[in-house]
Amino acid sequence: MEELGIINSRKLVYQRHALDVNWTKAFPMENWLLLVVIEGKNKSILAEISSKAIVHNVCYVCCAGEQSELLHDMVDEEIVFRQVDIEDLYLPDHFIITTWENNIQDAFWSAFFSSNNDEEEILTVVCLDASMAGIKVELENFLLSN
């Protein structure tokens, strides 16, 4: 986990996704948005990201990259499953908003300037980089330009 700065009063935390790293250590337990850039991952990894974000009380999930629409749909499906599940899987009391963008720059802008949750104030944006090449430099450049 690496804190990169503040944009629009929101702390920006960067975490690279890897199978040998505890990438959930960057996940707060309240007032946060998950900005995940995703490509080239199998569905079990997308399901794990979805589940771990929910149990960490995420209030907004913004997906970007090649698999953004798929991850967005999987998060929505996991929320619905938890609403009707008879096993009482955890679901936060607040409504979780989900979006997806094909363009990574649009997702950056959305995460910091247009994403809001009426029930939870977003104080932290966690960027989970699950891309093939890594987007840290792009994210740092976005930080410098805003």
Side-chain angles (χ1 to χ4, degrees), residues 36-39 63-69 100-104:
V36 58
V37 179
I38 188 102
E39 64 184 13
C63 307
E66 155 191 312
Q67 292 178 296
S68 59
E69 186 176 8
W100 63 276
E101 300 281 349
N102 285 323
N103 182 294
I104 293 171

Side-chain angles (χ1 to χ4, degrees), residues 1-3 11-17 21-35 52-53 56 58 124-129:
M1 174 179 75
E2 186 176 351
E3 291 185 24
K11 179 171 64 171
L12 170 58
V13 176
Y14 174 84
Q15 178 65 53
R16 184 83 168 127
H17 179 273
V21 172
N22 180 9
W23 47 269
T24 61
K25 69 181 177 190
F27 288 4
M29 288 303 293
E30 61 186 13
N31 303 96
W32 69 289
L33 178 148
L34 175 61
L35 168 60
K52 289 188 176 183
H56 280 83
V58 70
T124 304
V125 172
V126 174
C127 179
L128 181 62
D129 184 354

Side-chain angles (χ1 to χ4, degrees), residues 32-95:
W32 69 289
L33 178 148
L34 175 61
L35 168 60
V36 58
V37 179
I38 188 102
E39 64 184 13
K41 303 295 181 187
N42 64 45
K43 283 189 174 183
S44 66
I45 290 174
L46 277 71
E48 181 181 23
I49 292 169
S50 173
S51 177
K52 289 188 176 183
I54 291 169
V55 300
H56 280 83
N57 296 311
V58 70
C59 63
Y60 205 111
V61 179
C62 182
C63 307
E66 155 191 312
Q67 292 178 296
S68 59
E69 186 176 8
L70 177 58
L71 179 58
H72 165 269
D73 291 346
M74 290 179 74
V75 173
D76 284 348
E77 289 168 5
E78 181 70 16
I79 291 168
V80 170
F81 177 76
R82 287 169 183 258
Q83 288 172 335
V84 299
D85 182 55
I86 58 173
E87 296 176 25
D88 290 328
L89 292 174
Y90 178 76
L91 187 65
D93 292 332
H94 59 266
F95 185 75

